[in-house]
Structures are given as structure tokens and as C-alpha cells.
């Protein structure tokens, strides 16, 4: 769940295990509901700009029409942008196929940043168009964006901290640490990066 000055937002499962996004205003009035499907994880970012950003990782679907049972090894992830006052339809959505889950979205300037599986994605916050995508190994932390240096920092399940130059999309450096980095790195004004 998340909240801004206008509303409270949550993802919940109904009695049939269908997951929905709901918006309730600050007086308790139901604003809208949007069906997400059968999700493994969901994250909401409400930055107080009349938009909210959601990442949802859906459970793999059964293969249909192939005559084979089983499921896909990849999950489907969707990044959504909604107007806070009208959630009947997203302003935009961007779908990806990933191993694992999408992280929480991060808004920096006019772009939305998300990690998932082995990739990070940079989307235009207004249109949802893909601006940059790159493959790094085993990403699990939400990204941290340093607008001063123009870098994105993200952590992996194998203990790697990655620094990516956002102008080129290339890896600037990687640092091996002692364990999985699940939380977003913190970029401090003192020039240090803090990780757990």
C-alpha cells in the first residue's frame, strides 16, 4: 500500500484470489478499482504528482494450445502508470518477461526506474516508452538513482553492487559484497553509497 495527499492505494485479493488495486480518498470514499490478475508481488509508488506507478509480477500462465502441461519459466511483469483520480484504465503500461519479480518503481526526474530478473528498465514517466534497458545478473534490489553523477545503483542476490552510467547504459563498476543486496542502495550527499 501507499498514500499521497489525495488518496490511499492498496493491492488486495478478493474471495476468488483475484488481485485488485484500489484507491480510497482521504475521506474514506472509494475512488476506483483496477483488476491486476493473479500476482506474485506488487509495489506502489505515490509521488504526489497526480500519478501513481505500480509494478506487478504475475504468476506464470499455463501453456495453452501446445498439448503439454506445465507452465512458463518466466513471469510476466507489468509497470503501470495511473491518474490518481481515474484508475479505470492506466495512462500507460509496459510489459516484460522476467525471472523473479519486479522491484518497486523509483521516480527520478521525468523517468521511472525498475529492476527485475536480470534487467533494469528506464521508462519515460509521461508516456511509458522504454528509454534504456540493460542486463545485469540477479538483480533483486530496487534501483537508486543519483542525478548528480548520472548513475543507477542496484544490488544482486549474489552480493554484487552495480553502478551503471545512465547516459550510455554501460556498467561503470561492480563491487562484490558479503551477501544479497535486497534493499535499495542509499546515495548520500557525502559521496558515499550505503547498502544493507
Amino acid at each position: 500500500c501507499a498514500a499521497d495527499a489525495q488518496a490511499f492505494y492498496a493491492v488486495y485479493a478478493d474471495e476468488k484470489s483475484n488481485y485488485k488495486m484500489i484507491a480510497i480518498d482521504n475521506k474514506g470514499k472509494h475512488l476506483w478499482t483496477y483488476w491486476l490478475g493473479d500476482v506474485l508481488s506488487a509495489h506502489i509508488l505515490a509521488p504526489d504528482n497526480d500519478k501513481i506507478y505500480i509494478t506487478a509480477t504475475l504468476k506464470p500462465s499455463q501453456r495453452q494450445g501446445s498439448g503439454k502441461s506445465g507452465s512458463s519459466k518466466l513471469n510476466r511483469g507489468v509497470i503501470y502508470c495511473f491518474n490518481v483520480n481515474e484508475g479505470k484504465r492506466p495512462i500507460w503500461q509496459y510489459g516484460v518477461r522476467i525471472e523473479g519479480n519486479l522491484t518497486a518503481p523509483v521516480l527520478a526526474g521525468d523517468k521511472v526506474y525498475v529492476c527485475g530478473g536480470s534487467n533494469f528498465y528506464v521508462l519515460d514517466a509521461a508516456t511509458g516508452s522504454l528509454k534504456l534497458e540493460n542486463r545485469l545478473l540477479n538483480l533483486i534490489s530496487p534501483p537508486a538513482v543519483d542525478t548528480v553523477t548520472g548513475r543507477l545503483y542496484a544490488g544482486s542476490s549474489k552480493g554484487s553492487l552495480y553502478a551503471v552510467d545512465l547516459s550510455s547504459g554501460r556498467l561503470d563498476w561492480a563491487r562484490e559484497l558479503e551477501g544479497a543486496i535486497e534493499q535499495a542502495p542509499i546515495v548520500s550527499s557525502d559521496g558515499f553509497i550505503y547498502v544493507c
Side-chain angles (χ1 to χ4, degrees):
C1 58
D4 59 22
Q6 299 180 58
F8 169 80
Y9 312 96
V11 173
Y12 71 96
D14 66 14
E15 62 277 355
K16 296 179 183 175
S17 295
N18 292 313
Y19 286 81
K20 298 176 181 177
M21 168 80 180
I22 189 167
I24 300 169
D25 75 9
N26 55 18
K27 294 183 174 40
K29 178 184 172 191
H30 174 263
L31 296 174
W32 51 266
T33 303
Y34 185 81
W35 181 77
L36 294 173
D38 197 4
V39 301
L40 291 169
S41 67
H43 304 278
I44 305 167
L45 174 67
D48 259 336
N49 66 356
D50 290 332
K51 292 181 181 152
I52 56 170
Y53 302 91
I54 302 162
T55 57
T57 305
L58 306 174
K59 291 181 182 174
S61 60
Q62 297 290 334
R63 288 186 219 152
Q64 296 179 357
S66 66
K68 298 178 183 177
S69 62
S71 61
S72 168
K73 292 183 180 180
L74 296 177
N75 296 328
R76 189 166 79 89
V78 185
I79 305 160
Y80 296 97
C81 174
F82 287 93
N83 180 303
V84 297
N85 298 310
E86 187 175 332
K88 294 176 184 170
R89 181 180 323 179
I91 296 170
W92 57 260
Q93 67 184 52
Y94 186 83
V96 297
R97 301 292 280 176
I98 56 169
E99 293 179 11
N101 294 309
L102 288 176
T103 66
V106 173
L107 180 66
D110 60 353
K111 296 187 178 57
V112 176
Y113 301 83
V114 177
C115 293
S118 293
N119 289 22
F120 71 85
Y121 305 92
V122 181
L123 305 174
D124 183 286
T127 65
S129 62
L130 182 67
K131 295 298 181 184
L132 184 62
E133 175 184 359
N134 204 344
R135 186 168 180 78
L136 299 172
L137 296 176
N138 306 304
L139 291 176
I140 58 172
S141 84
V145 178
D146 185 350
T147 55
V148 175
T149 64
R151 282 193 182 123
L152 174 142
Y153 301 97
S156 80
S157 60
K158 304 294 185 186
S160 295
L161 175 65
Y162 297 110
V164 176
D165 182 309
L166 289 171
S167 62
S168 67
R170 295 183 181 204
L171 183 66
D172 271 353
W173 52 261
R175 171 76 188 229
E176 293 298 319
L177 300 174
E178 294 177 8
I181 303 166
E182 297 178 1
Q183 303 298 318
I186 298 170
V187 180
S188 175
S189 60
D190 61 9
F192 287 90
I193 302 158
Y194 297 91
V195 295
C196 295

